């Protein structure tokens, strides 16, 4: 669980950093080499990991420092709420911390991504040439797809009404945003590579 939380939390921050990168590339293309220099990129990536690792290790420690007196079997995997249900005593503070960490690592990056893309879309729509608009949208397509898969499945999992929750659906959604999205990342990001597209076309033609 510690590793899953570290990777998921860091991914949220990195997706926000990537949205900022797209914003600078499309909205301020002349300043891009200066604003997103190698040093800045390294600092942003390192910062995401430096924030994500200690916070999530502390979060995991805090959850597993609870007393567990019920069944040790969990009809779930990789998620915090099913574990908190097995804890003895008052878990209010733990649940409050879960929501705080979720707000910092999920809500804030998601709002930053939305803000970046609202600016990007408004700029792209002002481009006079349809070719330039298509090229700009293709720059963002891979990142947008990953954002929709990752945040979309997470939002559906956590913001559904309680009366519509089922353990099986929760498990599938958790599996989707915790594992499958990350497995699809290399494929999604490589779809803009011309060699990969040609290889896929040859494979499909066969």
């Amino acid at each position: 669980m510690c590793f899953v939380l570290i990777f998921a939390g860091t991914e949220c921050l990195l997706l926000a950093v990537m949205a900022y990168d797209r914003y600078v590339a499309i909205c301020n293309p002349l300043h891009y080499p200066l604003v997103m220099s190698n040093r800045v990129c390294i600092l942003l990536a390192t910062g995401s990991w430096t924030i994500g690792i200690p916070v999530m290790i502390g979060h995991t420690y805090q959850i597993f420092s609870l007393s567990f007196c019920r069944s040790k079997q969990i009809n779930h995997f990789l998620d915090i709420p099913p574990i908190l249900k097995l804890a003895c005593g008052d878990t209010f503070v733990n649940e409050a911390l879960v929501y705080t960490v979720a707000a910092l690592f999920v809500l804030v990056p998601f709002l930053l991504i939305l803000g970046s893309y609202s600016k990007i879309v408004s700029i792209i729509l002002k481009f006079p040439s349809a070719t330039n608009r298509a090229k700009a949208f293709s720059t963002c397509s891979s990142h947008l797809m990953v954002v929709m898969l990752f945040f979309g499945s997470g939002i559906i999992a956590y913001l559904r009404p309680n009366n519509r929750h089922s353990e099986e659906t929760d498990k599938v959604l958790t599996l989707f945003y915790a594992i499958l999205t990350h497995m699809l990342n290399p494929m999604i990001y490589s779809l803009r590579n011309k060699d990969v597209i040609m290889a896929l076309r040859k494979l499909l033609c066969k």
Side-chain angles (χ1 to χ4, degrees):
M1 173 167 279
C2 183
F3 281 112
V4 168
L5 290 176
I6 286 170
F7 292 135
T10 306
E11 169 119 8
C12 291
L13 298 177
L14 288 172
L15 287 172
V17 167
M18 291 170 72
Y20 175 68
D21 175 75
R22 270 47 172 193
Y23 165 76
V24 176
I26 292 170
C27 299
N28 297 297
L30 297 177
H31 295 132
Y32 182 82
L34 182 66
V35 176
M36 295 301 292
S37 63
N38 284 338
R39 183 174 174 274
V40 172
C41 291
I42 290 167
L43 284 172
L44 288 170
T46 307
S48 299
W49 284 100
T50 306
I51 294 167
I53 291 172
V55 170
M56 293 309 178
I57 288 174
H59 194 38
T60 309
Y61 174 78
Q62 182 261 335
I63 290 163
F64 285 98
S65 63
L66 292 167
S67 298
F68 294 92
C69 53
R70 299 174 194 172
S71 170
K72 297 294 189 291
Q73 283 193 335
I74 306 169
N75 187 22
H76 210 289
F77 44 80
L78 305 174
D79 222 345
I80 297 167
I83 291 177
L84 289 178
K85 286 179 184 176
L86 303 179
C88 304
D90 186 17
T91 58
F92 175 77
V93 175
N94 304 84
E95 289 172 14
L97 282 170
V98 168
Y99 284 112
T100 304
V101 170
L104 291 172
F105 281 84
V106 180
L107 186 60
V108 171
F110 185 64
L111 291 175
L112 289 172
I113 291 167
L114 283 181
S116 297
Y117 274 106
S118 63
K119 288 277 189 183
I120 288 169
V121 170
S122 67
I123 291 290
I124 289 174
L125 293 176
K126 292 176 184 176
F127 288 176
S129 166
T131 307
N132 288 342
R133 286 198 295 270
K135 189 177 179 181
F137 275 120
S138 73
T139 303
C140 307
S141 58
S142 302
H143 180 251
L144 264 177
M145 198 180 298
V146 172
V147 167
M148 285 190 290
L149 285 171
F150 185 64
F151 284 102
S153 54
I155 288 166
I156 292 168
Y158 285 100
L159 296 185
R160 283 180 303 146
N162 285 332
N163 58 354
R164 292 188 183 178
H165 273 236
S166 74
E167 287 183 347
E168 293 305 315
T169 308
D170 283 345
K171 283 194 287 186
V172 170
L173 287 168
T174 303
L175 179 70
F176 198 83
Y177 71 76
I179 295 173
L180 289 180
T181 304
H182 305 290
M183 288 174 64
L184 291 172
N185 276 359
M187 190 186 298
I188 292 169
Y189 285 117
S190 63
L191 284 175
R192 292 187 66 237
N193 186 301
K194 290 179 182 178
D195 294 331
V196 173
I197 292 169
M198 288 299 295
L200 280 173
R201 281 178 183 168
K202 287 179 182 177
L203 184 67
L204 291 173
C205 289
K206 288 179 181 178

